[in-house]
Amino acid sequence: MEEQVYISEEGMKHILKVYDPQDPHKNIIWTTNYRMELPLRVRKSGAGSEVPITLPEQFKMDCSQFAKKPALSVKRNNKWITRTYQEYYNESLQFAKALIAYGISEMSAVNIIGFNAPEWFISFMGSIHSHNLPVGIYTTNNPEACFYVSEHSECELVVVDTREQLNKYLQIWDKLPKLKGVVIYNDEIPKEGISEQRRSQIFKWKDFLEFGKKPELINQVMERVSKLRPGNCVTLIYTSGTTGNPKGVMLSHDNYIFTITQQRKKYQFPDSEEMRIVSYLPLSHVAGQLIDIVGSCRWGAHIYFANPDALSGTLINTLKEVRPTVFFSVPRVWEKIYDQMQLIAKQNGAIKTKIATWAKSIGKEGTFAQTHGLKPPLCFGLADKLVYNNVKKALGLDQARYLIFGAAPLSPVIREYFLSLNMYLINGYGMSECGGVTTLADPLHFDKFDDFFMNSTGKTMEGTELKIDQPDKDGNGEVCYRGRHIFMGYFKDEDSTRNTVDKDRWLHSGDIGKIDSKGNLTITGRIKELIITAGGENVAPVLIENEVKKTIPIISNCMVIGDKRKYLTILLTLKHQLKPDGTPTNKLLDDVIQAFQQLGSNATTFEDAKKDPIIKNYLQKLIDDANTRVISKAQYIRKWTLIPSDFSVDGGELTPTLKLKRRVVEQKWINEIEKMYQDAKL
């Protein structure tokens, strides 16, 4: 593909100081310095040939186009408070002016830790306009994890939502000599327990904005904005840290703008239809920023902020009130919805159950016909009226044009279940290092909704390239991609950057996958998670774990063990009831207890289940069943054990984006694991 290099004169001057002036572009494919402008390789035609612009340029155009439209709505005292796009833009500039007036150094980081709110968005956009780097921090981070990000990103100001987050910084402030202040937006400053020096550096949101009231400050903001280039770093996204300290992913203005430009071409809305989004997933995650903050402006979307306890049960209330037209979620959300719907289904009478079973029997076929412009099955319209539409209304998703999930794999069983209810879930795949997305599963790219489709993440984004590096005989190899969405590099980490982006600009994802004849990608494992048995067999645990979850409906999570061991074993967790904050309790889900009763068991707790031979035989039978569907004997699960409770973020087994921390789980349950290998004759 023919390309041209895009870089400003100032950027070129900097490069010429560092690199060979005879061929300055030759090796400029990444950087670990966020002050550097990275050259952009722009295609000469087609997707990817769009002229690069900065995020403030795009933000100004969008806010001008949609000036009077509602932009951000948050519920305060049970009443929706709304900012228009013009108000959103003005307050972002006000925040930028306040940063300058307060003395925050140009190009330093502004950390933001708090639940989704207008102030989060305004802090993000305002920081960019003052030539600072907005850096999100997960609200679940403990003080030590907050310290790592703030120190590493060279933070000078922190924006927090509550006293809980403020207290974390009061514990680590003395170790952050660059930190000049903290702004709190959704709580009061404590009256006691803070020294006078610290109290003078803590501000309520409105008080901090007062620093930017001087009208002449706008000239300084515009001067800083004029320095920005599309190839400059716009933010740092810190990875989940599944294998050590999180890395700071440097994303440029062009990374975000290019990605959203391609998606806007694909996912369109009529001018007469308002795009509504419920914002509830962490904005410190790349997907939250890409969709909620950057992408929403391009469509002129109306963002509604969920309550902070959204994932503890109140999200459904917000969805039913807002009725979003786009809904993005992580698989865990769909899993919770699925579990709840299973419980409700069991309470239905015989007639309702019969109607629902009939509707679901034609739902998958009808959804395929609907998405491919074909004639739907007979009575599909009646099924929609009686079942599908009612289910969607009950979930608040009856007006959703696009239902999207990503960040982790979703069980094919659950994906197929929602298809049977005429709900097409778009599977997106990507990572922070590619701006959040590189493939999306468009139904038109599939000839049928088969097993391959259920696991597939779809085709690569327009204007980008995808390849499988060193595929084996089955077509499995490392997933690699390149294009304008690829990150600049890891901040202050040359070794990791060099190991991730090769000399030909291919990003090596670390994921294992294969591509079908139509270019659709399926992820089959991860290199760092790949198990190599004592016999030298390579085993992708995710595929086995998905099969086990599919086969045993009463388990919530599982993890395959077997690296450098003679055979595979697996840890199983039963489904537990959840506390209001979403963490698992010690009490089993009623659904699980009912399943035990149907088996003839009186077990109501994990301890009971662990000892009961009826349950042991039941689980063994299902494990044997799952073993019949793996591709080789090396992938057989030889032993298994139940472990108490479930994997969770608070327990340390899951990252904030719900990825499994395999090392943590293995260390935590090492005694249980070793017991499964005491008899190694197998």
Side-chain angles (χ1 to χ4, degrees):
M1 182 64 67
E2 205 173 356
E3 296 175 323
Q4 55 190 348
V5 176
Y6 180 96
I7 189 169
S8 68
E9 291 183 10
E10 286 300 315
M12 180 57 73
K13 288 177 184 177
H14 178 83
I15 287 175
L16 290 175
K17 290 178 183 177
V18 183
Y19 298 94
D20 181 4
Q22 299 301 316
D23 193 359
H25 299 130
K26 183 177 181 182
N27 296 311
I28 312 300
I29 54 178
W30 53 261
T31 180
T32 59
N33 176 6
Y34 67 39
R35 296 176 183 272
M36 180 177 166
E37 178 189 353
L38 196 65
L40 303 176
R41 287 168 170 79
V42 179
R43 292 185 175 187
K44 290 192 174 181
S45 62
S49 66
E50 300 84 3
V51 176
I53 61 173
T54 65
L55 196 51
E57 287 177 297
Q58 187 66 68
F59 186 54
K60 184 177 182 179
M61 286 190 287
D62 292 335
C63 288
S64 296
Q65 181 181 353
F66 306 116
K68 295 181 180 180
K69 289 186 65 175
L72 311 174
S73 289
V74 64
K75 203 168 243 188
R76 300 271 161 85
N77 298 319
N78 210 33
K79 182 181 178 182
W80 288 107
I81 307 298
T82 301
R83 288 171 171 86
T84 65
Y85 269 93
Q86 187 63 62
E87 291 167 334
Y88 178 17
Y89 182 74
N90 292 344
E91 200 165 344
S92 296
L93 292 184
Q94 185 75 6
F95 187 82
K97 290 190 289 182
L99 289 174
I100 294 172
Y102 186 65
I104 301 302
S105 305
E106 197 169 353
M107 288 300 290
S108 65
V110 173
N111 289 168
I112 313 170
I113 179 169
F115 188 75
N116 308 21
E119 292 84 357
W120 217 112
F121 282 45
I122 291 162
S123 300
F124 183 90
M125 284 297 187
S127 298
I128 295 169
H129 281 76
S130 60
H131 207 182
N132 292 105
L133 288 178
V135 179
I137 298 179
Y138 288 107
T139 57
T140 52
N141 276 15
N142 59 30
E144 291 72 26
C146 290
F147 168 75
Y148 178 83
V149 174
S150 293
E151 191 274 336
H152 188 264
S153 65
E154 302 176 9
C155 167
E156 290 191 10
L157 186 86
V158 179
V159 178
V160 303
D161 65 341
T162 61
R163 295 187 191 190
E164 178 188 357
Q165 306 302 345
L166 172 62
N167 286 335
K168 293 176 184 178
Y169 277 88
L170 290 174
Q171 295 176 52
I172 61 176
W173 202 324
D174 290 340
K175 297 192 295 182
L176 294 168
K178 291 186 177 182
L179 183 57
K180 297 178 180 179
V182 174
V183 180
I184 187 167
Y185 65 78
N186 203 25
D187 209 342
E188 297 296 323
I189 301 171
K191 294 180 180 180
E192 298 178 353
I194 304 175
S195 68
E196 286 304 313
Q197 179 191 352
R198 291 293 178 239
R199 187 173 295 279
S200 68
Q201 297 172 292
I202 303 171
F203 307 93
K204 292 187 68 174
W205 177 262
K206 288 185 178 179
D207 294 335
F208 184 74
L209 290 184
E210 287 294 318
F211 284 108
K213 280 294 178 72
K214 293 181 181 179
E216 61 269 22
L217 285 168
I218 191 64
N219 295 327
Q220 293 185 51
V221 172
M222 291 301 114
E223 181 185 352
R224 291 192 178 189
V225 168
S226 69
K227 296 178 184 177
L228 299 176
R229 300 289 180 266
N232 284 148
C233 183
V234 72
T235 188
L236 300 177
I237 299 284
Y238 279 84
T239 59
S240 301
T242 54
T243 57
N245 283 328
K247 296 188 282 289
V249 176
M250 297 166 52
L251 292 175
S252 71
H253 294 257
D254 190 59
N255 290 150
Y256 269 159
I257 295 294
F258 165 77
T259 300
I260 282 299
T261 297
Q262 304 314 312
Q263 300 313 319
R264 191 164 178 261
K265 294 175 186 175
K266 192 177 183 70
Y267 301 105
Q268 299 180 354
F269 279 80
D271 293 338
S272 59
E273 186 177 328
E274 180 184 67
M275 182 177 181
R276 295 185 300 280
I277 297 174
V278 173
S279 179
Y280 70 101
L281 291 174
L283 296 172
S284 44
H285 189 266
V286 67
Q289 290 186 16
L290 181 72
I291 296 172
D292 294 12
I293 303 181
V294 181
S296 62
C297 297
R298 297 270 43 234
W299 278 271
H302 187 175
I303 296 288
Y304 290 83
F305 294 97
N307 294 328
D309 58 353
L311 293 178
S312 300
T314 66
L315 176 62
I316 189 73
N317 300 329
T318 307
L319 293 177
K320 288 164 77 171
E321 185 174 0
V322 173
R323 298 168 79 191
T325 54
V326 173
F327 180 59
F328 176 80
S329 65
V330 293
R332 190 59 177 157
V333 172
W334 288 110
E335 289 168 3
K336 286 182 178 181
I337 294 173
Y338 171 81
D339 288 341
Q340 193 61 35
M341 290 176 72
Q342 297 304 298
L343 289 176
I344 293 172
K346 289 184 178 180
Q347 297 168 8
N348 287 337
I351 295 176
K352 276 190 175 181
T353 299
K354 193 168 185 178
I355 292 172
T357 301
W358 163 74
K360 286 190 286 186
S361 71
I362 61 172
K364 181 177 169 182
E365 181 188 352
T367 304
F368 183 86
Q370 200 174 54
T371 55
H372 287 73
L374 304 174
K375 186 178 180 180
L378 189 66
C379 296
F380 182 71
L382 179 62
D384 182 46
K385 186 176 181 180
L386 293 177
V387 178
Y388 311 144
N389 198 45
N390 288 328
V391 169
K392 293 172 189 175
K393 280 183 178 179
L395 297 174
L397 298 175
D398 56 307
Q399 293 193 10
R401 275 179 172 266
Y402 304 111
L403 303 171
I404 309 167
F405 73 91
L410 176 66
S411 166
V413 173
I414 296 177
R415 196 175 181 190
E416 185 161 12
Y417 173 78
F418 283 105
L419 266 181
S420 74
L421 292 169
N422 190 224
M423 296 171 70
Y424 181 87
L425 308 187
I426 301 170
N427 188 359
Y429 163 71
M431 52 200 294
S432 301
E433 290 85 345
C434 67
V437 62
T438 198
T439 68
L440 284 164
D442 188 316
L444 291 176
H445 297 152
F446 299 89
D447 292 329
K448 53 186 176 179
F449 289 164
D450 56 8
D451 289 344
F452 180 87
F453 161 79
M454 293 301 170
N455 289 285
S456 179
T457 64
K459 292 182 71 171
T460 190
M461 181 167 54
E462 288 291 321
T464 70
E465 298 172 83
L466 176 73
K467 75 169 185 177
I468 300 299
D469 192 41
Q470 299 181 6
D472 61 17
K473 59 182 176 60
D474 297 316
N476 291 290
E478 185 175 18
V479 180
C480 299
Y481 31 90
R482 67 180 176 185
R484 283 169 60 178
H485 61 325
I486 302 303
F487 76 135
M488 300 173 70
Y490 295 116
F491 183 44
K492 300 178 182 176
D493 191 344
E494 290 194 8
D495 288 342
S496 294
T497 306
R498 189 175 287 107
N499 291 332
T500 303
V501 182
D502 67 25
K503 62 181 179 60
D504 295 316
R505 297 184 288 116
W506 287 102
L507 183 145
H508 290 251
S509 69
D511 289 319
I512 302 168
K514 59 183 178 181
I515 302 174
D516 72 357
S517 59
K518 288 198 167 187
N520 293 302
L521 172 69
T522 294
I523 304 299
T524 55
R526 182 153 180 83
I527 290 175
K528 290 180 181 177
E529 294 178 349
L530 195 67
I531 290 173
I532 303 177
T533 67
E537 294 278 357
N538 287 357
V539 176
V542 173
L543 297 179
I544 301 172
E545 289 158 0
N546 283 342
E547 193 59 52
V548 170
K549 287 181 184 179
K550 178 180 177 181
T551 308
I552 312 178
I554 62 172
I555 68 165
S556 175
N557 276 299
C558 60
M559 192 181 97
V560 173
I561 309 293
D563 199 45
K564 300 181 180 65
R565 297 182 185 266
K566 292 185 177 181
Y567 52 87
L568 300 185
T569 61
I570 193 166
L571 301 173
L572 305 174
T573 73
L574 296 171
K575 290 180 178 178
H576 286 69
Q577 293 187 23
L578 302 179
K579 297 177 184 177
D581 64 0
T583 57
T585 66
N586 291 325
K587 189 175 181 182
L588 297 177
L589 205 64
D590 290 342
D591 204 24
V592 175
I593 295 173
Q594 288 176 18
F596 288 167
Q597 290 172 348
Q598 290 173 5
L599 293 170
S601 170
N602 295 320
T604 58
T605 66
F606 162 78
E607 289 76 14
D608 294 340
K610 180 98 171 170
K611 299 173 186 174
D612 195 325
I614 294 176
I615 295 172
K616 183 178 180 180
N617 291 335
Y618 168 71
L619 290 174
Q620 185 60 60
K621 182 179 178 181
L622 293 180
I623 290 289
D624 292 341
D625 185 27
N627 280 337
T628 65
R629 289 186 291 278
V630 298
I631 61 176
S632 73
K633 288 186 177 181
Q635 297 186 358
Y636 279 15
I637 299 297
R638 303 292 181 178
K639 291 189 178 184
W640 56 270
T641 190
L642 284 173
I643 57 175
S645 192
D646 196 359
F647 300 154
S648 67
V649 175
D650 285 353
E653 301 96 345
L654 302 177
T655 71
T657 52
L658 306 181
K659 293 185 178 72
L660 184 60
K661 292 185 177 181
R662 293 181 181 272
R663 289 185 186 178
V664 171
V665 173
E666 191 161 359
Q667 290 169 3
K668 193 169 184 177
W669 301 104
I670 188 64
N671 291 334
E672 297 291 329
I673 291 169
E674 291 303 332
K675 287 178 185 176
M676 292 189 285
Y677 289 98
Q678 285 176 358
D679 178 11
K681 293 178 182 179
L682 292 172

